[in-house]
Amino acid sequence: MEITYRRFVPSEGDALINFLTSDTWPFHSSVVIDRDRIRQWMSDGVYDSEENRTFWIVAGDNVVGLIRLMDLGDETPLFDLRIRSQWRGKGFGGQTLIWITRYLFDEFPRIRRIEGTTRQDNVAMRRTFQRCGYAKEAHYRDAWAGAEGAVHDAVGYAILRRDWEAGTVTTPEWHDEHIVASHDQLASD
Ligand SMILES: CC(C)(COP(=O)(O)OP(=O)(O)OC[C@H]1O[C@@H](n2cnc3c(N)ncnc32)[C@H](O)[C@@H]1OP(=O)(O)O)[C@@H](O)C(=O)NCCC(=O)NCCS
């Protein structure tokens, strides 16, 4: 099914409220979102401003999801991706992350990297990151407050422009303690 991405305009506020409140978001900090909170976010420019853009994910006649792009004035933007429950697991998330990545690198030439963070147990999102060329580069222990006092680890992924252009995935140098050790050695000489 062909997917199109249509930019949200502020006059679509009611549609946005309906989209966000008619579903649950188990891996977000708010599983259920309150209408007044969304209205407040809209008036704060969270969905449409210099720093933020929002897009509907449309397949045929259906709005299957929503993308919010954040920190667009920075060299490292972030995004939030939500597919409606009934459309999850059908390939929309993966195709959309490929679109997000291309859109950001094409539209904002100074962006060097794109980041995303999710809960450690959000397997679908982590697989989406992996299949779209994002590398895990952060692990935050006990960083994500869940429902009813539960605490989860969070994981951070990113894609570099140079990797995206080359079609490669490079990973961070995890075992870099030798840098500290060689500094100690120099200090004792
Ligand atoms: C996470 C999310 C965006 C993924 O999009 P999706 O359309 O469901 O995922 P896709 O069908 O494109 O599948 C992408 C990959 O995840 C895997 N996957 C999808 N659902 C899965 C599930 N429930 N469990 C494990 N793997 C899953 C797919 O097999 C695929 O991996 P593969 O290419 O290695 O086979 C979507 O499920 C969603 O919106 N979830 C709720 C909101 C959310 O958690 N957003 C992320 C916030 S950071």
Side-chain angles (χ1 to χ4, degrees), residues 19 23-28 57 64-66 79-85 87-97 116-119 121-132 144 155:
F19 175 87
D23 213 327
T24 52
W25 309 101
F27 293 104
H28 281 77
I57 306 167
V64 301
L66 189 79
F79 66 87
D80 181 31
L81 170 59
R82 297 171 191 255
I83 305 293
R84 290 185 70 88
S85 303
W87 299 103
R88 289 176 200 158
K90 299 181 193 306
F92 291 114
Q95 289 185 65
T96 297
L97 187 52
T117 302
T118 195
R119 227 167 75 177
D121 56 347
N122 191 348
V123 177
M125 191 64 225
R126 294 184 65 175
R127 288 184 74 120
T128 304
F129 277 128
Q130 286 171 353
R131 68 137 48 190
C132 296
W144 195 294
V155 286

Side-chain angles (χ1 to χ4, degrees), residues 3-147:
I3 309 180
T4 55
Y5 301 93
R6 186 165 54 76
R7 188 148 172 201
F8 162 82
V9 289
S11 60
E12 296 176 302
D14 286 343
L16 183 67
I17 290 172
N18 286 338
F19 175 87
L20 291 170
T21 58
S22 63
D23 213 327
T24 52
W25 309 101
F27 293 104
H28 281 77
S29 43
S30 301
V31 175
V32 175
I33 317 179
D34 178 68
R35 289 175 171 265
D36 289 339
R37 245 171 116 194
I38 304 167
R39 284 196 192 92
Q40 184 61 51
W41 287 335
M42 281 196 284
S43 68
D44 291 344
V46 158
Y47 296 100
D48 187 66
S49 65
E50 189 96 354
E51 289 280 320
N52 300 288
R53 292 184 189 179
T54 297
F55 291 85
W56 301 108
I57 306 167
V58 182
D61 294 333
N62 301 297
V63 172
V64 301
L66 189 79
I67 305 160
R68 188 163 79 84
L69 306 178
M70 300 166 256
D71 294 346
L72 294 175
D74 292 357
E75 283 164 4
T76 303
L78 303 168
F79 66 87
D80 181 31
L81 170 59
R82 297 171 191 255
I83 305 293
R84 290 185 70 88
S85 303
Q86 69 191 102
W87 299 103
R88 289 176 200 158
K90 299 181 193 306
F92 291 114
Q95 289 185 65
T96 297
L97 187 52
I98 290 169
W99 181 85
I100 290 171
T101 308
R102 186 185 311 115
Y103 175 84
L104 287 170
F105 282 140
D106 282 350
E107 185 86 357
F108 301 95
R110 73 197 194 99
I111 288 176
R112 282 198 305 267
R113 41 182 281 117
I114 303 166
E115 278 182 21
T117 302
T118 195
R119 227 167 75 177
Q120 185 185 27
D121 56 347
N122 191 348
V123 177
M125 191 64 225
R126 294 184 65 175
R127 288 184 74 120
T128 304
F129 277 128
Q130 286 171 353
R131 68 137 48 190
C132 296
Y134 284 63
K136 183 182 173 191
E137 58 175 36
H139 193 115
Y140 307 99
R141 294 170 298 164
D142 289 356
W144 195 294

Side-chain angles (χ1 to χ4, degrees), residues 143-167:
W144 195 294
E148 294 163 8
V151 177
H152 304 268
D153 287 7
V155 286
Y157 287 76
I159 188 167
L160 306 180
R161 179 186 286 277
R162 59 182 160 87
D163 269 349
W164 177 72
E165 287 173 347

